[in-house]
Amino acid sequence: KELGVYGSKIDPTFRLPQRIEGDSIFSSAEHSRGGKSIQAVAAEEEWTKALKYMLIDLKALLAWCSKCSASGMARPKTKR
């Protein structure tokens, strides 16, 4: 979630495809319903879907990082 917030600050057009709140992740179709728990104590099917949604977010973050790296957008400022 923190990387998604950081990405949105650097690039206002960036948004994670799946919303994360606390220990739950919500797919695009589930925004109005309860999300899937990412805790290992959740039911196996729910946990598997939650990890699938997390991988979708990670894929979006990786694509965004590649884009930023190529354009020099997200390089941290260094103190001299």
Side-chain angles (χ1 to χ4, degrees):
K1 181 177 180 177
E2 289 85 6
L3 285 172
V5 171
Y6 175 76
S8 297
K9 287 180 183 177
I10 299 293
D11 179 3
T13 63
F14 176 75
R15 187 176 147 272
L16 289 175
Q18 315 303 326
R19 181 173 50 106
I20 301 170
E21 287 184 15
D23 292 336
S24 296
I25 190 164
F26 298 78
S27 75
S28 303
E30 293 175 331
H31 282 294
S32 60
R33 294 180 279 157
K36 305 291 184 211
S37 176
I38 56 175
Q39 293 184 351
V41 295
E44 187 175 341
E45 184 178 335
E46 180 180 345
W47 186 74
T48 302
K49 284 186 180 181
L51 292 183
K52 174 186 172 185
Y53 299 153
M54 195 179 317
L55 286 172
I56 291 169
D57 277 352
L58 289 173
K59 181 180 174 183
L61 278 166
L62 181 60
W64 177 78
C65 288
S66 295
K67 178 182 112 177
C68 289
S69 178
S71 67
M73 184 186 311
R75 293 202 177 126
K77 297 176 182 175
T78 57
K79 294 182 181 180
R80 294 184 187 239

